Amino acid sequence: MNSDDSLYDEQVVRPYVMTRGRTEARAKLDLITLAVTVRPATGVEIGLDPEHLAIARLCRRPLSVAEIAAHLDLPAGTVRVLLGDLLHGGFIALQEPQPEVDVLDERMYRAVLDGLRAL
């Protein structure tokens, strides 16, 4: 492998091409944000690549950003950009994770302290 080969590393070039050089998603997406298809992509829509279609198929049932990335063997950042495209086109809906407790709620801290004291 010569030094020029490292410039064309498929793991770097392929995601860059898929996102058309974009690194920021159109929406804030955590790794545990759930995506679900609300309108199927048929493949004739302008601007949707095979990876967009694969995500739309996968998300027939709710999946997290991390799960989608694992299924497609893509970096999470790339998946976020592609999900942003699908969201913008009305193909998916997102569900942000809901915190189980309010971290500012004093009762939660008291319960933790009481539990620690009970040990």
Side-chain angles (χ1 to χ4, degrees):
M1 178 164 142
N2 65 40
S3 63
D4 289 338
D5 290 341
S6 64
L7 297 174
Y8 303 106
D9 183 2
E10 183 179 327
Q11 291 181 337
V12 174
V13 173
R14 184 170 167 252
Y16 181 84
V17 171
M18 275 186 252
T19 62
R20 297 175 184 94
R22 296 170 294 147
T23 58
E24 297 292 323
R26 296 180 187 201
K28 182 186 176 305
L29 302 167
D30 292 321
L31 287 175
I32 58 174
T33 298
L34 295 176
V36 64
T37 300
V38 293
R39 181 170 65 111
T42 62
V44 297
E45 295 84 4
I46 295 174
L48 294 186
D49 296 321
E51 293 79 15
H52 289 102
L53 300 176
I55 291 171
R57 279 191 305 275
L58 275 174
C59 291
R60 290 181 185 147
R61 64 180 180 88
L63 288 176
S64 70
V65 172
E67 291 171 310
I68 297 164
H71 279 287
L72 298 178
D73 194 26
L74 291 173
T78 301
V79 170
R80 285 181 177 119
V81 172
L82 299 175
L83 283 169
D85 295 342
L86 291 168
L87 178 66
H88 183 73
F91 295 100
I92 63 165
L94 299 176
Q95 167 117 23
E96 292 298 323
Q98 298 298 318
E100 291 189 28
V101 295
D102 182 2
V103 294
L104 299 177
D105 186 357
E106 186 179 327
R107 292 174 293 177
M108 188 267 305
Y109 289 110
R110 288 189 188 281
V112 170
L113 286 173
D114 290 344
L116 289 173
R117 287 185 187 120
L119 294 174

